[in-house]
Each structure stands twice: as structure tokens, then as C-alpha cells.
Amino acid sequence: MPSHNERLRTLLDSTKQKTENATTQQCLSSVIEDAIAFDGPIEFNNTKVWLLSGLCLLVACFFGYLIAPKLNLDFIFYFVRTFNQCSPIIFALIMCGFFMWLGLTRNSRIDALSDEIYRKDLIVDAGMIPQKINGVEHAKKMAKVLNDFQRGNHYWNTEKLFNANFSGSEYSFAYQYYCFHYVTERREVVTSTDSEGRTTTRTVMTYVHSRRYGILFDFSFTKEIEIKTGTAIKSQQSFTPASIEFNKRYWVKCKDDKRASKFLKPTVVLAFEDLDEQLKGVHFEVNNHGKACLSTAVEVFENTRKFGLRQPQQFLSEINEKNEVNRLNELLLFAHKLMTLTDNNFK
């Protein structure tokens, strides 16, 4: 008869496999229904782990008690000399720490699976269809047409790409949601001096990993413009709106100042200011072919679940509800707002 922990491992392995393959709400619901049908709590029983950890601690204390009378004031010298005597204590403490770590962390796998199920549910509820791509090749391709993908100097990869549609009050449009991963390589010369005063230098390489989350869509109301958060080099700045608040947060690069001035009317400027309050690191860009991207440095698919596999019945109810990706909605509504504000038919 398999133990509770063995049956739970089997359930979690099956849950992970089914979640990865799930494409519909019904598939996700069936995954959680398996957890509801499980005989027992969805948690590992750590009784044996805590007992083993305590036993190892007792063993360490016992051997410590045996050698304690032999200790003298020159402890370090004595410790090195009698390492063989102390090795059982060291081993017992290591095993004690291992069992404690196992007991404290193995239930985290359940929470990670709950996160994965909830994230997949958000994707399904948003009607997003995952695309199979070569992430490195896709990032290189996009870097040729949009400057937002020209970040970092070491590695580019489009980790996720989904196709979806948005339907607004005035406009409906197709879009792609993406997660773009880039790495910046930095070289740093480190100088060190040894005990004899000799100085040596060496080059240290550091790698900074960053991600952008955004949407790609068609935008026909302006072109060849970039609006970015951050500080610009003066030679890069090509247009400055009248708003002081906007200029504190964004800088604009464009090929045609008149076109930029027409696009960045007061209502549009105010909309960008409001967006910066909600999402950090905003970047909006339209290339000369009308391909637009709107991205942020903030994770869009935030984990806002209230329940998980440990409360399967409540988790099922939560999954069966319509769950919104609030930050994605902010990007989509902003893109829609730009269309309505810059289309003369809606003035």
C-alpha cells in the first residue's frame, strides 16, 4: 500500500503534466478535480522528516558531549588535530540541516503548481493562443523593426508569444503579447592588494538579466516615433511637449516634429502621465510601417490567486470564475485610448 507522500508525489507529477498540456477551462478544472478526489490533505506528511532531523541533532549533541572534556583553550589547533573525532558531529549537523530544509521546502512544490495552474487559467480566460517560436530568432527579427527589442548587449530571447484579440467600444484589433528577455554584459576591472603590498588587476564579467512585457499591434495614426520613460541624452531627444510633468517622466524621439506634435496633443500627453502611475518603465513605439509596441518593465501576469491546491474545492471555484489580467488590460485599454484620441472621427 503506497504511503500518503508517495500517492501525493504521483498526483503532483500528473497535475504538472496535465497543466502543461491544458488548453481549455475544462482541462484546468479536471486537474483540480483530481486533487479534490485525492484521499487526504494536499500536503506532504513531514513527521518522519522532523523525527530524523531531531535524531541527527541528538547524535551531534551526544558526540559533542563525549569530546567536550578533551577541549582546551587552544580550540582551533585542537579541532584541526582531532578532525576525525569531530567528523561525526559535522556529518550529523549536516544531515539535521538537510532534513529541516526538506521539511520546510517540499510543500513549496504544491504552491508552485498552484501558481502555474492559475497563470494558465489567466491565459485561457484572456483567449490567448501560445505560439511556437524560436525565441532567439524571433527577438533578432523584432530588433530589426522595433527599437524596444534592441536592449542589452549579450543575449536576446522572446520567451513567450501569444496571439489574441481585443474588442473595445470604438476599435477591435489583433495583438500579440510577448515576454522579452535580454542580458547586459558588463566588464569591470577589479584591483586588489595582497599582504605584501603587491597590486594585481583582473577583469570581472557580470551579467544583468532583464525582461520586458508588452503587446504588438498595428497602429495607423502616426509613425516613426518612440516615447520612453527614463533620462535621454540631449542628442537623442528630438521633441519636447509643453507638459513639465510629461517631460519629467518621458522623452520623445521622432523623425518628424510636426507629426509628433500632432500626435502628442494634451489629452494624449495626459494619458501617458496616467499610465506611468500604473506601470513602470513604459515604452511606446511605432515604426515606419505602422507596427507598434507598448511595453513595461513590470510583470504583467501577476499572481493574485486567493486559493491553491491545498484548498482544492475553493481553488476550483476560483478557477471557474472569469479572472482578469489587470495589467494586460491596462496596456490594451491604453492602446485603444490612443486610437480614439488620435482618430479625427472620434473627436
Side-chain angles (χ1 to χ4, degrees):
M1 182 72 179
S3 67
H4 170 83
N5 287 353
E6 289 172 337
R7 291 188 299 108
L8 182 56
R9 287 192 196 95
T10 301
L11 173 68
L12 295 180
D13 290 341
S14 172
T15 298
K16 183 173 180 60
Q17 185 64 44
K18 289 181 179 179
T19 302
E20 289 175 352
N21 296 330
T23 56
T24 65
Q25 187 71 52
Q26 185 177 358
C27 292
L28 291 172
S29 296
S30 68
V31 168
I32 305 174
E33 286 167 356
D34 290 343
I36 294 173
F38 182 77
D39 183 17
I42 312 294
E43 281 190 352
F44 284 101
N45 185 336
N46 288 323
T47 303
K48 290 183 179 179
V49 171
W50 299 134
L51 288 174
L52 287 170
S53 179
L55 179 62
C56 290
L57 184 60
L58 286 174
V59 170
C61 292
F62 174 73
F63 279 101
Y65 172 78
L66 290 180
I67 70 169
K70 301 178 183 180
L71 294 177
N72 56 32
L73 294 177
D74 192 4
F75 176 74
I76 296 178
F77 175 71
Y78 181 82
F79 183 84
V80 173
R81 256 181 32 184
T82 59
F83 178 78
N84 288 335
Q85 288 179 286
C86 294
S87 58
I89 301 174
I90 297 171
F91 180 74
L93 288 174
I94 290 173
M95 293 307 298
C96 174
F98 169 75
F99 287 123
M100 287 184 67
W101 171 82
L102 183 63
L104 291 170
T105 61
R106 65 175 171 175
N107 278 320
S108 63
R109 181 187 177 191
I110 300 169
D111 296 328
L113 265 176
S114 300
D115 292 342
E116 191 173 339
I117 293 169
Y118 186 75
R119 192 177 300 111
K120 182 61 75 74
D121 177 64
L122 291 176
I123 292 170
V124 171
D125 285 349
M128 302 173 74
I129 303 172
Q131 303 299 297
K132 292 183 179 180
I133 57 168
N134 182 318
V136 174
E137 290 301 319
H138 181 269
K140 289 180 180 178
K141 176 183 175 182
M142 295 309 300
K144 294 178 181 178
V145 296
L146 289 168
N147 293 335
D148 195 30
F149 285 81
Q150 296 178 11
R151 297 175 183 264
N153 59 2
H154 180 71
Y155 177 76
W156 296 339
N157 180 30
T158 304
E159 292 182 332
K160 298 174 185 176
L161 187 69
F162 297 90
N163 285 354
N165 293 282
F166 174 81
S167 182
S169 56
E170 280 91 19
Y171 283 98
S172 297
F173 57 89
Y175 71 92
Q176 289 186 310
Y177 168 79
Y178 65 89
C179 172
F180 172 54
H181 173 210
Y182 62 97
V183 181
T184 303
E185 179 186 76
R186 295 175 181 169
R187 299 190 179 194
E188 191 176 334
V189 178
V190 178
T191 303
S192 58
T193 305
D194 61 20
S195 57
E196 297 180 3
R198 291 175 296 192
T199 300
T200 57
T201 60
R202 59 193 178 93
T203 301
V204 177
M205 306 293 292
T206 58
Y207 299 90
V208 181
H209 293 258
S210 306
R211 285 175 174 80
R212 302 286 302 175
Y213 310 90
I215 56 173
L216 300 167
F217 57 101
D218 292 330
F219 192 84
S220 60
F221 306 101
T222 191
K223 61 181 180 179
E224 296 180 304
I225 189 171
E226 286 182 70
I227 302 172
K228 306 179 180 183
T229 54
T231 304
I233 300 172
K234 286 187 177 181
S235 61
Q236 294 179 320
Q237 184 91 7
S238 56
F239 179 79
T240 306
S243 170
I244 297 174
E245 189 62 34
F246 178 92
N247 295 327
K248 286 180 181 178
R249 304 181 184 206
Y250 295 95
W251 60 279
V252 181
K253 183 178 180 181
C254 61
K255 286 194 173 182
D256 186 332
D257 283 2
K258 289 183 179 179
R259 187 187 296 134
S261 177
K262 183 179 178 182
F263 174 69
L264 284 169
K265 61 186 69 175
T267 52
V268 172
V269 167
L270 183 60
F272 271 100
E273 292 173 9
D274 291 340
L275 183 65
D276 186 60
E277 295 288 342
Q278 306 299 323
L279 299 173
K280 300 302 178 184
V282 172
H283 179 111
F284 175 72
E285 177 182 357
V286 186
N287 67 13
N288 61 335
H289 297 294
K291 190 70 172 179
C293 76
L294 176 63
S295 68
T296 173
V298 181
E299 168 67 79
V300 168
F301 281 85
E302 56 183 329
N303 182 7
T304 57
R305 66 178 176 87
K306 297 177 182 178
F307 302 101
L309 288 171
R310 301 195 203 195
Q311 309 92 15
Q313 195 67 58
Q314 295 95 320
F315 193 34
L316 178 61
S317 299
E318 184 177 15
I319 289 298
N320 284 335
E321 294 175 357
K322 176 73 172 178
N323 294 297
E324 299 286 345
V325 187
N326 294 327
R327 291 174 179 169
L328 176 61
N329 287 341
E330 287 176 9
L331 290 176
L332 293 169
L333 289 171
F334 182 79
H336 181 267
K337 189 173 186 177
L338 287 182
M339 293 177 184
T340 59
L341 290 176
T342 52
D343 185 351
N344 290 325
N345 293 327
F346 291 100
K347 291 186 176 60

